[in-house]
Amino acid sequence: MGCFAKPDARARAEGRELDSTVGSGVLPMQSRGFSLVEILTVLVIIGIFMLIAIPGYNTFISSGHIGAEDNDLYHDLEFARSEASKRGLNIVVCPSNNTSAASPTCAAQATWNGGWITLLPVNNNCTDTSGTVLRIRQPFTSSDTVTFAPSTAGNNALCFNRMGFVPTANAGLFTFDTSPVSTSARRCLAVSVIGHLQILQSGQKDAAGTQC
């Protein structure tokens, strides 16, 4: 019997231990929440970050779209030039407003974001805007725009001859812009009289000195 503490003595010992913990003001299992000031500080920091990051992210996305659209036109013009040399015939690339039609046609306009077609002109003449369609590019899915500024106003269709050259009046500059316009996201595609194609970023100049 002497080896075991009496039940009432054990209870009194445990009670004193509990009392000492409570009396110290320490609650081991309880955590402190955030104050209103701390929450507001975090929200302000997040807001500042979003003001800085979102415009940059939007510019990044816009530049990606512009770059893809610029590359699409570049590859289609390269295709037209290659076909002209391979076939020994003139190949026309022109803007179109009805690329989804069974027989799409050229449009007399300077804007190309509605789509364009590559065709073998019926009379092998650069002024022909009808013939066998070789390739169709559908309208942009974005709100971006592309405008062609030829050496001679009104010559909105490009024509590559069997040497891969374009008429002097056709040489010019395509300008790709976002909507609303962001100068930093702008891209250009220059076409020289020898058929050379040059992709430019905003502020760069082509071989003729024309600035994007």
Side-chain angles (χ1 to χ4, degrees):
M1 297 294 293
C3 297
F4 298 95
K6 294 180 179 180
D8 57 342
R10 188 188 311 167
R12 285 196 297 272
E14 291 175 352
R16 284 196 300 272
E17 183 177 352
L18 177 61
D19 291 343
S20 63
T21 302
V22 174
S24 67
V26 179
L27 298 176
M29 301 303 293
Q30 183 177 1
S31 60
R32 186 176 64 87
F34 294 105
S35 69
L36 179 61
V37 173
E38 291 171 329
I39 293 174
L40 290 176
T41 300
V42 171
L43 291 176
V44 169
I45 292 173
I46 292 174
I48 293 173
F49 174 78
M50 292 179 68
L51 286 174
I52 296 173
I54 289 178
Y57 177 75
N58 288 339
T59 299
F60 173 78
I61 295 298
S62 297
S63 296
H65 286 157
I66 288 284
E69 292 154 356
D70 196 356
N71 284 332
D72 284 343
L73 181 56
Y74 176 90
H75 290 305
D76 285 348
L77 295 183
E78 280 283 10
F79 168 78
R81 188 184 187 204
S82 174
E83 285 296 303
S85 298
K86 182 173 66 176
R87 295 170 184 259
L89 299 169
N90 291 327
I91 299 293
V92 171
V93 186
C94 61
S96 176
N97 287 328
N98 60 346
T99 54
S100 298
S103 300
T105 57
C106 293
Q109 60 189 41
T111 54
W112 287 50
N113 42 282
W116 57 84
I117 56 176
T118 303
L119 58 85
L120 181 64
V122 64
N123 296 315
N124 193 35
N125 193 315
C126 284
T127 60
D128 290 338
T129 55
S130 61
T132 304
V133 176
L134 304 177
R135 181 174 287 190
I136 301 172
R137 183 67 63 175
Q138 297 297 333
F140 291 171
T141 56
S142 69
S143 58
D144 299 337
T145 61
V146 54
T147 305
F148 182 48
S151 299
T152 301
N155 290 277
N156 298 312
L158 279 172
C159 180
F160 292 90
N161 65 23
R162 61 188 182 86
M163 299 295 292
F165 296 173
V166 298
T168 303
N170 273 168
L173 188 73
F174 289 93
T175 301
F176 294 76
D177 275 316
T178 57
S179 179
V181 175
S182 171
T183 306
S184 61
R186 177 174 294 163
R187 295 291 183 274
C188 296
L189 177 58
V191 184
S192 71
V193 292
I194 61 172
H196 175 67
L197 306 176
Q198 184 180 8
I199 293 179
L200 306 170
Q201 295 189 9
S202 180
Q204 291 184 323
K205 295 182 179 180
D206 65 6
T210 304
Q211 182 171 311
C212 176

